[in-house]
Structures are given as C-alpha cells and as structure tokens.
Amino acid sequence: MTRLNVVLFVALVFSGLYLVRVSYEARRLFVEVERAQSEERALETEFEQLQLEKRAQATPLRVEKVAREKLQMRTATPAVTHYVTHAGATDAPQAASAAAPGGQP
C-alpha cells in the first residue's frame, strides 16, 4: 500500500507542477494578446490619421497650388496653345529629305 501512496504522491506533485506551468504560460500568452491588441489599436489610429492626411493633401486647391508653385504650371490660354497639324502624304517625302543629312533620302 505504501508503494501506491508514493506513486500517487509523485503523480500529485507532477500534476501540481504541470498546473503551475500551464497557468504561467496562459498568463504570459494573455499578456501577449493584450499587447498585440493594444498595438493593433495604435496602428489603426495611425492609419486613420494617415488616411486623413492623404485626403487633405489631395484636395483640388492644394493640387493646383503645388502645380503652380513647384511645377510652374499655368492655365492653358489661346495665347500659349500650340496646334499641331498632320502633314499630308505629299509632304512626307519632303520632310524626310529635309531631315536626312545632305538633303538626299
């Protein structure tokens, strides 16, 4: 009977140690999940702020201002408009000969 008591006592001790280890691991994982959820909330907030900034940067007035200041673009007027016409089939050999060195095709 004493052998059975010793075996049961050893099983009880191992069971208790396993329970402590599992409880510690569960607490550690819970803290890790809470930390990840907190990081998720922070990233969602940052994403929303970036989306707001993106919408603010893409307003038509700002785009026009940047185009005028940084790219030196201006509104098209008839005074600065250049019209390109298609040269007819009869003009094509003359244009080619003018482009070739020496005037010969």
Side-chain angles (χ1 to χ4, degrees), residues 25-76:
E25 188 68 20
R27 264 187 243 120
R28 190 185 64 78
L29 290 174
F30 181 76
V31 167
E32 190 174 322
V33 166
E34 287 293 319
R35 191 175 302 133
Q37 288 174 344
S38 175
E39 184 179 350
E40 176 191 16
R41 285 189 294 273
L43 288 173
E44 283 178 358
T45 303
E46 183 180 0
F47 178 72
E48 290 172 5
Q49 288 174 347
L50 290 173
Q51 290 289 81
L52 181 64
E53 286 180 27
K54 179 181 169 184
R55 285 192 296 271
Q57 295 289 326
T59 59
L61 292 175
R62 185 180 185 303
V63 170
E64 184 176 346
K65 179 183 174 190
V66 168
R68 286 183 189 277
E69 291 175 0
K70 291 188 178 179
L71 302 176
Q72 277 108 35
M73 297 178 86
R74 58 184 185 269
T75 306

